[in-house]
Amino acid sequence: MTELLIPLLRCPVSRSPLRLEVIRYGKKVYNGAETTIIKDGILFSDSEWFYPVIDGIPRLIVEAVIDYNDFLSTHLPDFSQRRDVLVTKNSLLLASVQQKNDRTKKSFAYEWKQFDYQQDRTWEADKPQMFERFLTETDETATSINGKLIFDAGCGNGQLNQLIAANGATVLGMDFSRSVEQAFNENTEANALFIQGDVQFPPVASEAFDIVHCSGVLIHTNNTKHSFNCLVPCVKEDGKLSVWLYHPRNNAGHRFILLLRKILTRLPLPLLYWICRWILFPFAFVVKRIKGNKQPARELMIDILDQFTPEFRWEHTHEEAMSWFDQQNFYHTRVTTSNIFGFNITGKRRKV
């Protein structure tokens, strides 16, 4: 991370600004020039909450004190006392986020670990197609995003963030799992920033962003509408919120997949990964080839993991999503794209 990021960050629980203590600086190449970055550090809130910066990435998840125990115990002399106070005062919250988040973090980390940045496309789109899809979904142009501050809540492999930054915007990419590490490492754009965070506890300043973009993420949380509501405060007045959701599909093949998901998502993740790789993948590969679809094997494997490994997968009608925007006092709400799998919907936020 760089100093540019600090004013945008907030404690995901207390919502207070964060104070940084640097442990170690490092170097990273952005736009062809070597830049000094904050490699490791600790971010402190005004309350008992604190969060590590590890390998250049702020780890702003509620359960960071548990997930990154080893790093914090090494670099924070009074860690044990701080941890005990935090855990004692917030035991129920920590238990609940661990319960809802653990499997999701692991499944998406494994999914994006398969991605090859040199060869693979993202959801069958190359880089120009990916950027055009973003512009269409958000109802923007390459010119209109120039100079804007964008929050990509659920950035996945981070490729889109580099494309957005290359077109003159500053974009903060956030992902829940440790896949954000690969996104950060591959990034070469100075205005593409990355953090680890939870859409239900967004660790960013309120009313800060011109555009909040959340594509295919909310439907993989335990409650889509609640997650949507948690992102609303991040949007500035007259700013735009853009979300992509699955919609219901009424056909036998889709109903079979949903039934299969109900069975598979109850299995331990290692067993489920084995089934995906050695049973579902060979079957899907043969079917696609018979149909003439030559999707590369690794891209197909990522699709299968995305379909069957997430713990949560919800579907919503266009009207239902429209009502969420209406309840949060948005205007100019409209569906910008719709295909066989899902749809994107955007709205602008009225003055609070």
Side-chain angles (χ1 to χ4, degrees), residues 101-117:
N101 293 345
D102 184 60
R103 188 176 176 109
T104 300
K105 281 187 294 190
K106 290 176 180 176
S107 69
F108 281 103
Y110 185 82
E111 176 182 324
W112 288 116
K113 188 177 180 181
Q114 314 303 308
F115 188 80
D116 187 313
Y117 281 79

Side-chain angles (χ1 to χ4, degrees), residues 249-268:
R249 295 158 58 193
N250 188 22
N251 62 71
H254 184 59
R255 289 194 295 272
F256 174 74
I257 288 173
L258 293 181
L259 177 61
L260 190 57
R261 264 190 51 82
K262 285 184 180 179
I263 298 169
L264 294 179
T265 52
R266 296 174 184 172
L267 300 176

Side-chain angles (χ1 to χ4, degrees), residues 262-277:
K262 285 184 180 179
I263 298 169
L264 294 179
T265 52
R266 296 174 184 172
L267 300 176
L269 277 174
L271 176 57
L272 177 51
Y273 293 147
W274 188 92
I275 292 172
C276 286
R277 181 169 293 280

